[in-house]
Amino acid sequence: MNIAIDGPAGAGKSTIAKKTAEALGSIYVDTGAMYRAMAMHMINEKVDISDQAAVERACVSADITIRHIDGAQHVFLNGGDVTPGLRAEEVGNAASTVSKYGAVRERLVELQRALAAEEDVVMDGRDIGTVVLPDADLKIFLTARPYVRALRRAKELCGGEVPPEEMVSGIEEEIRKRDEQDMTREISPLVRADDAVPVDSSDLSIEEVTEKILSLAAERRGD
Ligand code: DC
């Protein structure tokens, strides 16, 4: 059974997808991490990411592989484990830019489909239900209000403490910019697949969202 979870930055996709995969004994595949690794490659190689031709040339020399170690996804870039550095804000913003380019998407979509062909996966991203796995058994479109998404991210950065209001509004501004870029790009924009179930996580706990997805999955399997 393959489950696709799409949605904007900070909606809780990775937390929810990880928990869903654990409960089902499936493999969790974080496709955003692959775009982040590609962005990191461009940063390492000092490629100007606003130059599409330069990024498309450089993406050929990025060897990105995924390994699951003790159930956790690790991303390797040209042989080195780059997982710990991928969550930086700078890398996320650069990933949003390089993910607009066709050659980057082609390489990574191929890798994502190969993973889903081998295992039962819970895969999260922006185009999983629309492009990568159009025949997924269950598709979820997970959203939350921009302020809530910014607050969650700010709390994470402050180690769970209440963050200062200026910090939240700064992150909210970044999130809105990233949504705009992800939703308006020409290739595979962030859009809800017609057959995806919309879930707004703003006023729900992680457990409530996971339960909802697990019960939809059970329904689809005919349990
Ligand atoms: O989910 P994330 O924040 O780790 O994703 C980083 C960026 O990668 C996001 O802004 C857009 C891009 N992305 C994409 O275009 N398609 C995906 N399937 C996943 C991520």
Side-chain angles (χ1 to χ4, degrees):
M1 175 175 219
N2 287 330
I3 299 181
I5 303 183
D6 289 300
K13 296 186 301 294
S14 55
T15 309
I16 302 293
K18 218 177 279 172
K19 285 199 166 287
T20 305
E22 256 168 39
L24 294 173
S26 304
I27 297 283
Y28 164 54
V29 181
D30 171 3
T31 63
M34 300 183 194
Y35 288 94
R36 285 169 182 264
M38 188 60 92
M40 197 179 255
H41 179 66
M42 301 304 156
I43 294 168
N44 292 347
E45 299 294 314
K46 304 199 171 32
V47 175
D48 172 7
I49 58 167
S50 63
D51 181 343
Q52 176 166 359
V55 170
E56 294 198 330
R57 267 196 311 274
C59 88
V60 179
S61 61
D63 175 27
I64 295 171
T65 51
I66 301 293
R67 260 179 251 158
H68 287 88
I69 304 170
D70 294 333
Q73 173 180 294
H74 288 253
V75 184
F76 290 79
L77 171 62
N78 296 332
D81 186 351
V82 290
T83 316
L86 292 181
R87 299 305 308 168
E89 226 45 36
E90 181 206 3
V91 179
N93 291 333
S96 177
T97 299
V98 302
S99 68
K100 290 190 293 189
Y101 307 141
V104 168
R105 301 204 73 83
E106 269 170 37
R107 272 177 78 88
L108 296 181
V109 167
E110 193 184 328
L111 183 59
Q112 292 154 12
R113 288 192 177 137
L115 287 166
E118 271 170 28
E119 313 265 1
D120 284 348
V121 294
V122 178
M123 190 175 277
D124 79 350
R126 304 290 186 289
D127 60 339
I128 311 306
T130 50
V131 175
V132 182
L133 304 176
D135 298 327
D137 304 282
L138 173 63
K139 300 179 187 177
I140 303 291
F141 195 76
L142 189 64
T143 56
R145 293 187 292 275
Y147 181 81
V148 174
R149 292 190 270 139
L151 185 62
R152 288 178 185 159
R153 178 74 183 132
K155 269 195 191 151
E156 196 180 304
L157 291 171
C158 293
E161 300 292 315
V162 177
E165 202 45 47
E166 320 78 78
M167 183 181 186
V168 183
S169 51
I171 294 178
E172 186 179 352
E173 183 62 22
E174 288 287 311
I175 278 183
R176 285 183 186 275
K177 270 196 229 147
R178 188 120 81 83
D179 285 355
E180 174 72 17
Q181 177 155 258
D182 294 346
M183 293 188 315
T184 57
R185 69 180 178 221
E186 269 175 44
I187 314 173
S188 310
L190 168 64
V191 61
R192 179 167 79 82
D194 292 339
D195 51 351
V197 181
V199 176
D200 185 333
S201 72
S202 303
D203 303 311
L204 299 176
S205 68
I206 292 168
E207 287 68 29
E208 285 171 321
V209 178
T210 310
E211 275 310 311
K212 195 177 170 75
I213 295 176
L214 288 174
S215 70
L216 286 166
E219 239 172 62
R220 295 289 156 100
R221 276 198 315 257
D223 291 2

